[in-house]
Every structure is written in structure tokens, then in C-alpha cells.
């Protein structure tokens, strides 16, 4: 039987991350990073299982060449750290989970051997001694949480030199005892400064020369961070933005600058993207813009939260719009501003009722 490849990328710091930060957002962060790693699978590896904070891949009766294996490893690290940089640069949420996410790291183990399979509810699951060894190699004595480890067995099979060195990799030897058996490997610490990170669109900061055309203020008996969560989490929108058929968004993404969502009203799709503008120190802000609603060409809504105490805050909503034609501007003066204000007043009242109901249930 030909040898098969075992390949396990594991997000480092996951357990501590979940135990010490807001659980819901930490789960979103990990789910999003796992999706990113899945998308970085350029060598058609088969996913055996998602194991909490890790992905267990294999390639049945086939090993990647030295060049392809190292390219796959580098792609995983590059994609992972690029996404962490995006999360850091475009972050809106002030919670500990989102603030700590850029500190997560990645360790990756590659091993090989003859595989056996179990049939479980129609799915084939690899098992056997090599599967056990691959997972044990994650519990090693390497003094880092950001590395690539290749078992000596796999390195020998593909001709990967023990002290292979390149721009990204500088391998060393290592070994550990597991249940009295010695497992030898080579490993390289990954310095993200040596990676050529992917580019991404940084969040848009909008500047206005004039005050908002509409501004509303309301006090809430709730912590500022909690209010911001209720506003930015699109899963709560249907509780306080009535009249929409549904909201479409990425459920595994914590809202950040550049996040998109769609509000479907009477079958029409209103496309929104998260933006920001400058506010005072200590204030929290979430903004969104759309080019969808008539009669304006661009509409911006900013929710600015000012903490007053640990359980009290003030919400200001600023609405800016751009209407390029004289007719559109006249419509906004005669009817549009009044309509926007009425809808916004209703939404903030519904938001207040929603928060009150949440407080009662808690």
C-alpha cells in the first residue's frame, strides 16, 4: 500500500482565547479563520474532519513533492497571517476577542504512513497508528506556537533535507517521546515578517465638509460596548429594523470595516457596506453606506456611542446623503428628510424595546 499524507494546521492559542475572551465573538473569529485555511488548500487535500481549532487533511496513497508541500505550507501561513492583519486593520468591535485575534498563531504538522479507514455514517475517516502519531506531534517540545513541523518519515520519503533553508523556512531537528516511542521530526519557526502577505482593502474612512442632514440622540440604560454589539451584529437587525423581509450577511464574520450586508425589502435588495468617520476619543462608532435607496445617490448612517457610566450610554445617529440632481435634492427637502427621521425614530424605539426584553430575559 502506498503511503498517504497527513496534514494538520492548528490555530495556536485557541483554548486560552475562548476561556479569556467573549465566547460568541471568539467562536466567529475561529470559524472565519478555519474557512480561510480551507480556502488556502491549493493541493486538493481531502478534509477528514474539523477538530475544534484544527483541520485534519489527508491525501490518500499520495505524497506531495518537496516543492509542493513547502508551497502548501507557505500558502497556509501567508493566508492565515494576512487575514489576521485584515482583522486588525479593519476592526470595529472593541471586545477582548476581536482585540486579541491578531495574536493568534498557527502550527502545522505534516506526516505520512499507510492509512486505514472507518466508514461512519457514509463518511470515510482515516485511522491507524500514523493518524495517532500525527496528532501527538502537535504536543511537542518546540518553544513556539508558530511553526511548521515535518516528520522525519515524511522528510525522508520526499527528499526534504534536514537543514533545508529558504526565505521562509530554516529547518532544525527535533524529537519527543510519546508513550515510550521516540518520534523524530524537523521544524521551522515561521516569522511572519518573512511572509509576503496578501493585500486587502482597508476600511473606508469618510470625511464630510458639512454637518449631517439628520441627527438624532437617545439615551440607553446599557453598557456602550453592549449597545454597539446589538447595532453591529446583523443577526439582531430584524428585532429593531422592521419592515425588512430578511437580512443577508456572513454569519461567521464579526462585523468590521468593509463588511457587507443586504437588506431585502419587498423583494428589493439594498446593499450596505461598513464604513467609519472620525469621532472623539472614548466614543465608539459604527457606520454603513449604501447607494441603493432612492431618491439619494449615496446614504451614510453613523451610530456613535458615548459611554456615560458602566451601564449607561448615549447614542447619536448621524445621517448624511448625497443627491446630485436638483430634483432629488428638492424631493429630500420636501419629503425625504421627514421620512428618514420617522423611520429612524421607530427603529430606535424598537431597539430600546429589544434591549429591555433582553435585559428581562437575562
Amino acid at each position: 500500500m502506498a503511503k498517504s499524507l497527513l496534514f494538520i494546521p492548528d490555530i495556536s492559542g485557541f483554548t486560552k482565547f475562548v476561556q479569556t475572551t467573549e465566547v460568541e465573538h471568539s467562536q466567529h473569529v475561529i470559524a472565519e479563520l478555519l474557512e480561510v485555511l480551507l480556502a488556502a488548500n491549493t493541493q486538493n487535500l481531502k478534509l477528514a474532519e474539523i477538530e475544534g481549532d484544527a483541520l485534519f487533511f489527508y491525501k490518500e496513497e499520495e505524497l506531495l513533492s518537496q516543492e509542493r508541500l513547502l508551497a502548501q505550507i507557505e500558502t497556509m501561513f501567508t493566508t492565515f497571517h494576512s487575514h489576521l492583519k485584515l482583522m486588525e486593520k479593519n476592526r470595529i468591535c472593541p471586545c477582548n476577542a476581536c482585540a486579541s485575534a491578531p495574536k493568534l498563531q498557527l502550527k502545522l504538522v505534516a506526516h505520512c504512513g499507510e492509512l486505514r479507514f472507518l466508514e461512519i455514517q457514509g463518511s470515510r475517516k482515516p485511522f491507524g497508528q500514523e493518524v495517532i502519531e500525527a496528532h501527538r506531534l502537535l504536543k511537542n517540545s518546540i518553544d513556539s506556537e508558530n511553526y511548521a513541523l515535518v516528520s522525519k518519515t515524511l522528510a525522508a520519503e520526499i527528499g526534504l533535507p534536514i537543514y533545508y533553508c529558504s526565505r521562509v523556512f530554516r529547518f532544525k531537528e527535533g524529537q519527543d517521546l510519546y508513550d515510550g516511542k521516540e518520534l523524530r521530526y524537523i521544524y521551522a519557526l515561521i516569522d511572519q515578517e518573512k511572509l509576503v502577505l496578501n493585500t486587502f482593502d482597508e476600511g473606508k474612512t469618510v470625511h464630510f465638509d458639512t454637518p449631517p442632514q439628520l441627527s438624532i440622540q437617545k439615551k440607553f440604560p446599557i453598557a456602550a460596548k453592549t449597545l454597539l454589539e446589538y447595532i453591529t451584529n446583523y443577526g439582531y437587525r430584524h428585532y429593531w429594523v422592521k419592515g425588512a423581509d430578511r437580512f443577508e450577511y456572513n454569519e461567521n464574520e464579526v462585523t468590521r470595516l468593509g463588511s457587507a450586508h443586504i437588506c431585502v425589502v419587498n423583494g428589493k435588495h439594498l446593499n450596505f457596506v461598513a464604513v467609519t468617520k472620525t469621532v472623539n476619543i472614548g466614543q465608539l462608532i459604527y457606520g454603513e453606506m449604501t447607494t441603493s435607496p432612492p431618491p439619494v445617490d449615496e446614504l451614510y448612517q453613523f451610530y456613535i456611542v458615548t459611554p456615560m457610566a458602566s451601564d449607561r450610554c448615549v447614542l447619536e445617529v448621524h445621517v448624511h446623503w448625497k443627491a446630485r440632481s436638483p430634483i432629488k435634492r428638492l424631493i429630500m427637502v420636501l419629503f425625504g428628510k421627514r421620512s428618514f427621521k420617522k423611520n429612524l425614530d421607530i427603529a430606535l424605539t424598537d431597539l430600546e424595546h429589544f434591549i429591555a426584553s433582553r435585559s428581562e430575559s437575562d
Side-chain angles (χ1 to χ4, degrees), residues 1-7 48 56-62 111-118 124-132 134:
M1 183 183 296
K3 289 188 176 180
S4 301
L5 175 68
L6 301 170
F7 192 89
F56 176 24
F57 290 107
Y58 68 95
K59 202 166 188 67
E60 188 174 357
E61 297 187 10
E62 182 183 348
H111 187 36
C112 71
E114 295 181 359
L115 290 187
R116 295 176 177 81
F117 291 87
L118 292 173
R124 298 174 77 237
K125 301 292 184 182
F127 82 103
Q129 183 61 32
E130 284 76 11
V131 173
I132 295 172

Side-chain angles (χ1 to χ4, degrees), residues 67-139:
E67 293 76 17
R68 290 171 64 198
L69 178 66
L70 294 179
Q72 178 63 88
I73 292 172
E74 184 175 344
T75 297
M76 287 280 184
F77 277 98
T78 298
T79 303
F80 179 81
H81 286 288
S82 297
H83 203 74
L84 289 185
K85 186 62 69 175
L86 180 153
M87 287 180 162
E88 179 182 19
K89 290 290 186 181
N90 289 352
R91 178 168 68 93
I92 292 173
C93 177
C95 82
N96 290 328
C98 295
S100 302
K103 299 176 184 177
L104 290 172
Q105 299 186 80
L106 183 67
K107 51 188 179 183
L108 194 151
V109 164
H111 187 36
C112 71
E114 295 181 359
L115 290 187
R116 295 176 177 81
F117 291 87
L118 292 173
E119 290 283 346
I120 302 176
Q121 295 183 340
S123 298
R124 298 174 77 237
K125 301 292 184 182
F127 82 103
Q129 183 61 32
E130 284 76 11
V131 173
I132 295 172
E133 289 177 357
H135 285 84
R136 284 178 173 171
L137 284 169
L138 288 166
K139 310 295 183 182

Side-chain angles (χ1 to χ4, degrees), residues 114-329:
E114 295 181 359
L115 290 187
R116 295 176 177 81
F117 291 87
L118 292 173
E119 290 283 346
I120 302 176
Q121 295 183 340
S123 298
R124 298 174 77 237
K125 301 292 184 182
F127 82 103
Q129 183 61 32
E130 284 76 11
V131 173
I132 295 172
E133 289 177 357
H135 285 84
R136 284 178 173 171
L137 284 169
L138 288 166
K139 310 295 183 182
N140 55 61
S141 57
I142 298 173
D143 188 21
S144 173
E145 292 293 324
N146 208 64
Y147 61 80
L149 180 155
V150 179
S151 71
K152 276 281 190 75
T153 304
L154 175 58
E157 287 284 342
I158 64 175
L160 177 60
I162 293 174
Y163 299 108
Y164 177 90
C165 185
S166 69
R167 173 179 53 84
V168 174
F169 302 103
R170 187 179 296 273
F171 281 98
K172 303 176 183 178
E173 288 187 273
Q175 60 187 50
D176 286 290
L177 282 173
Y178 303 93
D179 298 330
K181 180 179 179 180
E182 185 177 73
L183 291 180
R184 295 176 175 269
Y185 51 84
I186 62 174
Y187 69 96
L189 306 184
I190 305 299
D191 181 357
Q192 74 174 77
E193 298 299 324
K194 301 291 181 63
L195 300 170
V196 181
L197 299 184
N198 303 324
T199 59
F200 57 87
D201 293 330
E202 292 196 27
K204 183 178 180 181
T205 300
V206 188
H207 303 279
F208 299 95
D209 296 327
T210 57
Q213 284 97 328
L214 179 61
S215 180
I216 297 177
Q217 186 177 102
K218 192 175 186 65
K219 295 180 180 179
F220 286 87
I222 192 173
K225 289 183 179 180
T226 306
L227 179 59
L228 187 71
E229 167 66 8
Y230 290 146
I231 292 170
T232 60
N233 189 330
Y234 303 134
Y236 295 127
R237 281 294 171 97
H238 65 284
Y239 290 109
W240 60 278
V241 179
K242 303 297 176 62
D245 301 331
R246 65 184 184 277
F247 293 91
E248 299 176 359
Y249 58 96
N250 183 350
E251 296 182 8
N252 284 332
E253 178 182 285
V254 178
T255 303
R256 57 176 171 261
L257 297 180
S259 289
H261 76 275
I262 299 172
C263 176
V264 182
V265 181
N266 296 326
K268 295 181 179 179
H269 289 62
L270 305 180
N271 301 287
F272 291 85
V273 62
V275 297
T276 192
K277 70 174 182 175
T278 304
V279 293
N280 297 328
I281 295 175
Q283 290 181 314
L284 305 176
I285 181 171
Y286 165 74
E288 56 190 34
M289 72 85 62
T290 180
T291 58
S292 302
V296 299
D297 297 300
E298 295 178 17
L299 177 72
Y300 297 85
Q301 291 187 144
F302 294 95
Y303 298 83
I304 303 165
V305 186
T306 305
M308 303 301 292
S310 61
D311 59 351
R312 288 185 293 114
C313 63
V314 173
L315 173 65
E316 293 178 79
V317 183
H318 293 175
V319 182
H320 302 258
W321 58 75
K322 296 180 181 179
R324 295 186 178 91
S325 74
I327 294 177
K328 289 181 178 180
R329 289 195 291 270

